[in-house]
Amino acid sequence: MDTPNTAALRRTPLHPLHLAGGAKMVAFAGWDMPIQYALGILQEHLHTRAHAGLFDVSHMGQIEVSGPGACAWLESLTTADLVALPDGRQTYALLPNDAGGIIDDLMIQKVGPVFHVVCNAARLAQVQAQFAAHPPGAGCSVTLHEDRALLALQGPQAEAVLQPLADVACLRFLDVREYPDAVAGGLRLSRSGYTGEDGFEISLPAAAAPAFAERLLAHPDVRWIGLGARDTLRLEAGMCLYGNDIDEGTTPVTASIGWAVAPARRNGGLRAGGFPGADIILAEFAAPPAKVRVGLLPEGRAPQRAGAKIVDADGRELGVITSGNHSPTLGRPIAMASIDRAAKNAGTPLFIDSRGQKVAAALASFPFVPNRYCR
């Protein structure tokens, strides 16, 4: 993130509301996005954990795949079991390259015969290129919806806030439903989130987004939340950030997200393999790669940042921190790192090389803060 050249950056439909709300704007993935508001990152983070935070995620790609063969085509490019995905449900999936690396991580929703794919803003061009390199069959259409906005309402009060506007109490984690709305037009709501809290993603027509956001913000429990707190929340939830914890050189098993390869797509499954890089990825379940993503609890109060080296007691390099920050919920530093699997398995004492000083770090399980999804 850096100081934006606003003339060169795209703006979401909520941009005027961010400015009116006193947001500090930064350049992110080619967009002018709010990193924080007057509350500040710490208080925005804690507000989301205690109440309900509203995130503008309209910069993310929203792609519709429909028509005959849509399911088979999309499944041939991802690690998901879309054949068995029920109507009104969504799943987390990976879009791998031929070497088993991750082009992007996706959320895929099934609503009737249509699949809705949400991808990272910074990876939209790469996702589209992969789709173009493996064109679908006749009658199957792939449409990027730049005419829709995307909001995320996260936190323990999210259901209570949204219920008067749409009956969401019946939804459970990973459910998806479409709702008519006299003000906003067609809403598509999913119940999940990148924060580890209960919450909803709201896809709606771009022209209707500002008025709908203002309806949510009128509730006393709702505040705008920026990218800064979004990052600390996802880190506490143990979730990967593309470009930090996963990339095109990282395989699912290396990233400790092998669970994103559906059982039906693994060796012995009903439709094993069939996606790019499948031979490499599936082989790693039997013979795990040398590196693995782990959680770390560094000693002391100072946050340890991405790029810091992980070493053993003798200074031998074992890996690198991929994400690190102060955890507002725990009141201490937390981090993710890619380290030698052998060192993890052997219980080797780990240290962070922090400007020449060794800071001890203990292994930790994900998530750092327990998830509170509505299951």
Side-chain angles (χ1 to χ4, degrees), residues 185-338:
L187 301 175
R188 187 174 69 254
L189 274 64
S190 57
R191 191 163 197 166
S192 62
Y194 193 50
T195 62
E197 291 291 337
D198 182 27
F200 302 86
E201 295 77 41
I202 307 161
S203 176
L204 72 169
F212 193 81
E214 288 184 315
R215 291 164 73 186
L216 296 175
L217 290 164
H219 195 288
D221 280 338
V222 179
R223 297 285 187 91
W224 276 125
I225 309 296
L227 292 176
R230 182 172 169 84
D231 187 57
T232 53
L233 287 159
R234 71 89 196 169
L235 180 56
E236 288 186 346
M239 296 184 182
C240 294
L241 174 65
Y242 197 94
N244 281 50
D245 312 297
I246 54 175
D247 56 30
E248 292 210 36
T250 309
T251 65
V253 179
T254 299
S256 297
I257 51 174
W259 50 265
V261 182
R265 313 301 303 282
R266 300 188 194 183
N267 290 329
L270 294 175
R271 294 178 312 286
F275 50 84
D279 290 347
I280 295 170
I281 291 172
L282 298 183
E284 288 188 345
F285 284 102
K291 294 291 185 179
V292 63
R293 180 176 66 100
V294 299
L296 294 178
L297 295 175
E299 286 189 355
R301 302 289 298 174
Q304 303 297 325
R305 305 294 186 178
K309 294 179 179 179
I310 307 299
V311 299
D312 64 13
D314 297 323
R316 182 174 67 91
E317 187 173 340
L318 301 176
V320 64
I321 290 180
T322 56
S323 289
N325 213 323
H326 172 79
S327 164
T329 304
L330 301 177
R332 57 159 305 141
I334 58 175
M336 297 181 189
S338 175

Side-chain angles (χ1 to χ4, degrees), residues 124-138:
L124 176 59
Q126 291 78 8
V127 170
Q128 290 180 301
Q130 180 73 343
F131 286 178
H134 302 82

Side-chain angles (χ1 to χ4, degrees), residues 133-221:
H134 302 82
C140 180
S141 64
V142 182
T143 306
L144 173 64
H145 279 286
E146 296 186 291
D147 58 341
R148 295 188 71 82
L150 191 63
L151 294 166
L153 184 68
Q154 300 281 294
Q157 296 304 311
E159 179 186 300
V161 170
L162 200 50
Q163 182 65 21
L165 306 180
D167 182 12
V168 297
C170 59
L171 300 182
R172 291 298 177 263
F173 183 59
L174 298 181
D175 279 350
V176 184
R177 181 171 294 184
E178 291 184 332
Y179 296 82
D181 185 274
V183 176
L187 301 175
R188 187 174 69 254
L189 274 64
S190 57
R191 191 163 197 166
S192 62
Y194 193 50
T195 62
E197 291 291 337
D198 182 27
F200 302 86
E201 295 77 41
I202 307 161
S203 176
L204 72 169
F212 193 81
E214 288 184 315
R215 291 164 73 186
L216 296 175
L217 290 164
H219 195 288
D221 280 338

Side-chain angles (χ1 to χ4, degrees), residues 59-63 77-80 91-97 100-108 117-131 194 240-244 246-252 257 260 281:
H59 60 309
M60 300 184 77
Q62 298 188 68
I63 302 171
L77 295 178
T78 68
T79 61
T91 186
Y92 178 80
L94 304 175
L95 184 73
N97 59 28
I102 301 169
I103 296 173
D104 199 14
D105 56 340
L106 315 169
M107 294 303 298
I108 302 178
V117 180
V118 179
C119 70
N120 286 299
R123 302 300 295 171
L124 176 59
Q126 291 78 8
V127 170
Q128 290 180 301
Q130 180 73 343
F131 286 178
Y194 193 50
C240 294
L241 174 65
Y242 197 94
N244 281 50
I246 54 175
D247 56 30
E248 292 210 36
T250 309
T251 65
I257 51 174
I281 291 172

